[in-house]
Amino acid sequence: MQVQLKIQAPRQSAVDLLAIPLFRLDAKKPSLPKRITTLDRALGGRIQDVIDRGDFRGAEDEAVLVYPDAKSKAKRILLIGLGKEDKCDAEALRRLAGRSLRQARGKKARSVGLLCPITRRIPNPEIAAALAAGAVLGSYRFDRYLEKKKGKNARHPEIRSFTLVFDKLSNAPPLRRAIRDAVALADSQNLARDLSNEPANTMTPVALARVASKMSREVGLKCHVMDVAELKRRKMGGILAVGQGSTNPPRMVVMEHNPRRGTAGSKKNRPTICLIGKGITFDSGGISIKPSAGMHEMKHDMSGAAAVVGAMRAIATLKIPHRVIGLVATAENLPSATAYRPGDIIRMHSGKTVEVLNTDAEGRLVLADALAYANARYQPAAMIDVATLTGACMIALGSFGTGLMGNDEALSDALYEAGKRSGECAWPLPLFEGHKKAMRGSVADLVNVAGREAGASTAGGFLAAFVDETPWAHLDIAGTGWTNKPTPIQPKGATGVGVRLLVDFLSHWKPGKPV
Ligand code: BES
Ligand code: ZN
Ligand code: ZN
C-alpha cells in the first residue's frame, strides 16, 4: 500500500472511498465546519442530510457511508467520528486511519483518501505522521502462510493507495517528510511483528541472526554475528547454557549505527547508546517445563530482539544522529539430554557465577551476558534492554503498559515520556536494594529466581548485577508484546511494541545532558 500526500480541494479527490473525519458535533446545534459544508454543497448536500436525520454525531465509534451523486469524483464518502476535539491526540489519529482502512476494505475499495482533520491542538505534520503510521500499522496482516492471501482468491482485495488529503493552503514539504518518516517507522514496527509472529520452526536463532544481517545490509548498518565458537571464546556462559538443549544453536548479533554526521565527539568516541533484546525463539521452559496451555505463544519470546532489530532499521533509515549499538542475544530454550538443568552452576561472561534454580528463568541469563558485554565493550552512555521477561509483569500491568525499571531516574523519566508520546506506554516498577539482595546465591554469586514475590522486580534485580554504574533501563514487554484483543491498528498476535518507544526516546535524546 502506497501512502501519499495530496494538497487539493477534497472534492477533487478521485478515490474509491474518501473518509471525512468529524469531531463530535454540538448536540444542540450540529453545524458542520466550513470546509466540510463547501465539500457537501459540491456533493449535493448528502452529508448534512445524514446529520439532520440524527444518524451521525461524530462519536469515536461512528462510521456512516454516504453515496454522493454522479458529479462527485469520490465513489463513496465515509463519515467517520473522531470524538471530542479536546481529547484528540496522536493515538486517536492513528486509530482513525486504521478504522477508515478497515471500512474501506469491507467495501472492496482499492484507493482510499482521508481528508486530514485540522485541530489547533496538534501541528499538521504531526497529524500527517500519526495518520500515516496508523494506516501502515492498521493494514498489517501476518498472512504469508494462508493459501488465500492474494489475488482473486483474497477475501478482500488489497488497498493500493492511501492518500492524505490536505487543504489547498498547506505547506507540503514538512508534511511529506513527516509522512515518509512515519511510514519508515511503522514499516520497522511491522518488521518486528513479522519476526515475532513467525513460528519457532522457521524463526530459529540462526534465522533471526540472518534477518538482522540482511536488514543491516539493506539500511547500511554494520553487523556482526557471533557463532557458538565465538560465544565460547568470549565465555558467554549464560547464552550458551540456555541454548545447549536445542539443535538450533544460539547466536549473538551486534548491529552498529554510527552516522557520518552525528552528535558530540568524533565518529570514534561518540557517546553511545546500547539497545539489547531478549531473543528466545521458543521458550518451553526447558527442564522446568511450562504447562502446555498457551505454550505455543512462547514463539514470541524473542519480541525484545524483534523490537531491537526493528528499532535499528528505523534508526538507520531516519538517520538518528547518535551512535547506537543493537545487541540481540538469541537461543532456543528446550528440554533435552543436553539441556541445562536446575541446580547447574554457570559462569557468566562477566565472570559472576549463577546457580540455575529454574530453567524457565532463561531470559535474564541471555540478557545478562549481552548487558555485561555491551557495557565492557562500548562503555555506553546508557543501556536499554527490552524483554518478554516475566509472567509477573504481565499480571501486574497486563497489556496496558510495559514495565519500566532501572538504576537511573533521568533515563527512566525520558523513557516514560517517550512512552506517552509514542503511544507505547511504559510504567515504572520499583527496583529496591531488597530485590537485588533477593538474587544473591549461597553456592554461587547469584541465583536466577527468588520465589514468586515481586517477580518482575527481582528479575530486574538480577540484571542489575551485570550493569554496574552505567545508566540502564529495563523494559519488560511480557504483557505488551503479544495481544489477543485486536484494535484498528493492531491485529491479534505480535505487537512490535518497543520500536516506536525506543526510536522516540532516541530522537529526543541529547548526549552530555542528564539522559
Ligand atoms: N518468557 C517467560 C515470560 C513470559 C510469560 C513472557 C508470559 C510472556 C508471557 C519467561 O522466560 C519466564 O518463563 N519467566 C518465568 C520466571 C520464573 C520461572 C521466575 C515466569 O515469569 O513465570
Ligand atoms: Zn522462561
Ligand atoms: Zn522466556
Side-chain angles (χ1 to χ4, degrees):
M1 186 184 69
Q2 175 96 22
V3 181
Q4 56 197 31
L5 170 74
K6 275 205 180 140
I7 310 273
Q8 61 180 178
R11 63 171 185 285
Q12 300 299 339
S13 179
V15 286
D16 291 342
L17 183 142
L18 177 65
I20 301 190
L22 285 171
F23 289 116
R24 176 98 207 183
L25 298 165
D26 188 334
K28 289 194 200 109
K29 200 165 67 53
S31 64
L32 286 169
K34 194 156 164 270
R35 61 205 280 256
I36 312 289
T37 349
T38 323
L39 167 71
D40 194 28
R41 236 176 274 131
L43 297 178
R46 306 272 158 99
I47 299 178
Q48 190 63 56
D49 226 35
V50 172
I51 289 162
D52 289 346
R53 285 168 209 225
D55 283 2
F56 182 84
R57 297 239 167 272
E60 230 205 303
D61 54 355
E62 278 182 320
V64 175
L65 201 61
V66 182
Y67 292 93
D69 58 28
K71 278 183 292 179
S72 165
K73 292 204 172 159
K75 288 194 194 132
R76 303 169 188 83
I77 298 282
L78 179 76
L79 292 182
I80 186 153
L82 238 180
K84 291 197 177 126
E85 183 169 359
D86 56 3
K87 292 253 167 65
C88 181
D89 57 8
E91 183 65 13
L93 294 168
R94 281 190 285 267
R95 283 170 189 250
L96 170 73
R99 285 159 55 220
S100 304
L101 282 175
R102 184 189 283 177
Q103 297 279 341
R105 217 174 290 123
K107 293 290 167 257
K108 301 200 178 349
R110 324 258 345 231
S111 56
V112 181
L114 194 151
L115 175 60
C116 292
I118 308 277
T119 167
R120 250 190 246 137
R121 292 167 43 82
I122 311 175
N124 280 356
E126 279 177 40
I127 293 179
L131 293 169
V136 175
L137 295 170
S139 42
Y140 174 81
R141 297 286 171 277
F142 183 68
D143 57 7
R144 56 180 300 216
Y145 291 102
L146 291 172
E147 196 186 348
K148 287 188 180 173
K149 68 169 179 187
K150 283 197 185 118
K152 54 183 184 318
N153 288 334
R155 261 171 271 167
H156 298 299
E158 233 166 81
I159 293 173
R160 285 217 197 105
S161 66
F162 181 68
T163 308
L164 298 177
V165 179
F166 272 84
D167 288 319
K168 275 275 170 51
L169 294 170
S170 315
N171 184 13
L175 294 174
R176 205 156 274 134
R177 272 197 300 276
I179 293 170
R180 184 198 58 201
D181 288 357
V183 169
L185 182 56
D187 279 340
S188 302
Q189 183 166 355
N190 284 345
L191 166 66
R193 288 170 169 181
D194 265 343
L195 298 182
S196 296
N197 279 325
E198 195 62 38
N201 56 333
T202 58
M203 194 45 64
T204 60
V206 168
L208 180 55
R210 276 212 192 107
V211 176
S213 326
K214 179 162 170 273
M215 179 283 289
S216 296
R217 243 190 335 272
E218 284 164 5
V219 301
L221 295 167
K222 269 203 230 160
C223 180
H224 174 67
V225 178
M226 296 183 198
D227 61 9
V228 169
E230 186 170 352
L231 292 171
K232 282 188 178 152
R233 216 166 49 240
R234 295 190 186 276
K235 302 190 166 60
M236 301 267 184
I239 301 177
L240 287 164
V242 173
Q244 76 189 38
S246 171
T247 49
N248 295 310
R251 290 286 184 267
M252 173 125 113
V253 186
V254 185
M255 293 160 276
E256 174 165 355
H257 166 75
N258 196 3
R260 203 171 309 146
R261 255 181 285 159
T263 41
S266 72
K267 214 174 162 196
K268 281 206 178 116
N269 64 5
R270 232 170 239 163
T272 301
I273 296 244
C274 290
L275 308 177
I276 294 144
K278 167 177 172 181
I280 300 299
T281 57
F282 188 69
D283 184 11
S284 68
I287 299 289
S288 317
I289 198 161
K290 287 180 181 295
S292 55
M295 201 202 268
H296 62 282
E297 283 184 5
M298 279 299 116
K299 69 174 184 178
H300 94 284
D301 208 21
M302 32 58 70
S303 293
V308 169
V309 173
M312 291 306 291
R313 179 187 181 276
I315 287 161
T317 316
L318 304 179
K319 303 191 170 60
I320 297 286
H322 310 301
R323 183 178 187 225
V324 186
I325 310 288
L327 296 103
V328 161
T330 175
E332 186 174 37
N333 188 20
L334 291 182
S336 79
T338 61
Y340 78 137
R341 331 154 182 74
D344 283 4
I345 295 178
I346 54 185
R347 188 173 292 280
M348 308 288 284
H349 175 69
S350 75
K352 287 188 176 155
T353 55
V354 177
E355 184 184 14
V356 177
L357 298 183
N358 189 318
T359 62
D360 197 10
E362 82 299 334
R364 58 198 76 184
L365 297 173
V366 303
L367 283 176
D369 275 353
L371 282 164
Y373 175 78
N375 201 17
R377 171 83 173 71
Y378 299 102
Q379 287 145 13
M383 301 199 280
I384 304 166
D385 77 74
V386 195
T388 45
L389 205 62
T390 64
C393 186
M394 188 164 72
I395 299 301
L397 299 178
S399 56
F400 303 100
T402 290
L404 168 62
M405 281 151 264
N407 61 3
D408 187 282
E409 214 167 297
L411 176 60
S412 295
D413 286 352
L415 282 162
Y416 172 76
E417 293 300 329
K420 277 205 288 195
R421 283 190 301 264
S422 65
E424 294 189 339
C425 165
W427 199 261
L429 293 175
L431 215 177
F432 301 140
E433 277 311 304
H435 296 129
K436 297 181 199 164
K437 275 193 193 149
M439 306 310 292
R440 287 192 191 150
S442 51
V443 297
D445 300 327
L446 294 149
V447 285
N448 77 331
V449 299
R452 283 161 52 81
E453 259 189 8
S457 292
T458 54
F462 180 88
L463 297 177
F466 298 88
V467 298
D468 301 330
E469 305 297 307
T470 305
W472 153 75
H474 159 56
L475 296 165
D476 192 332
I477 57 167
T480 48
W482 187 265
T483 185
N484 291 313
K485 294 182 284 187
T487 76
I489 55 166
Q490 174 61 64
K492 280 188 189 185
T495 62
V497 76
V499 174
R500 288 202 325 264
L501 173 70
L502 291 171
V503 175
D504 186 289
F505 162 79
L506 282 162
S507 32
H508 288 82
W509 186 65
K510 297 237 174 10
K513 289 200 183 167
V515 191

